[in-house]
Amino acid sequence: MSKATRENKPVHGFLYKNSLTLVFMLLFILTLIAQAYFGWQEHNENLQDNGSQEISFPGYLQSGHFIQATFENWESEFLQMALLLF
């Protein structure tokens, strides 16, 4: 390729080259935050119904309920994808 041809090509930056990856990463982070928030609300409602004290959001993120809900969700998604592939 000649030098003149190379100079006429548009140069795309990092955001353009990685836009699809960045969008999917953003969607993943947003859905994980939404799952954490609504799981926290549900967990606190269950605690209130049982007469226990509510927990804070950072406390919920370290709880077994959040970890279990997250991995159950991921497990079901990976199993569905495996069924589609095989």
Side-chain angles (χ1 to χ4, degrees):
M1 196 181 279
S2 70
K3 192 174 188 177
T5 307
R6 238 182 290 149
E7 290 175 3
N8 293 337
K9 278 189 164 183
V11 178
H12 298 293
F14 175 81
L15 290 177
Y16 179 84
K17 289 180 181 179
N18 298 297
S19 58
L20 186 60
T21 300
L22 294 172
V23 166
F24 280 120
M25 285 176 62
L26 180 65
L27 286 173
F28 172 76
I29 291 168
L30 289 175
T31 57
L32 189 60
I33 290 170
Q35 178 181 343
Y37 176 76
F38 290 109
W40 174 54
Q41 295 294 323
E42 176 190 359
H43 187 63
N44 277 338
E45 285 177 13
N46 290 338
L47 289 174
Q48 266 187 338
D49 291 344
N50 294 329
S52 300
Q53 187 177 7
E54 295 182 355
I55 61 173
S56 66
F57 187 69
Y60 175 72
L61 293 178
Q62 297 173 3
S63 73
H65 187 270
F66 171 69
I67 295 167
Q68 179 184 3
T70 302
F71 282 110
E72 282 179 359
N73 189 17
W74 290 356
E75 178 185 26
S76 69
E77 296 302 324
F78 284 122
L79 288 174
Q80 287 177 19
M81 289 305 293
L83 288 174
L84 288 174
L85 294 174
F86 299 107

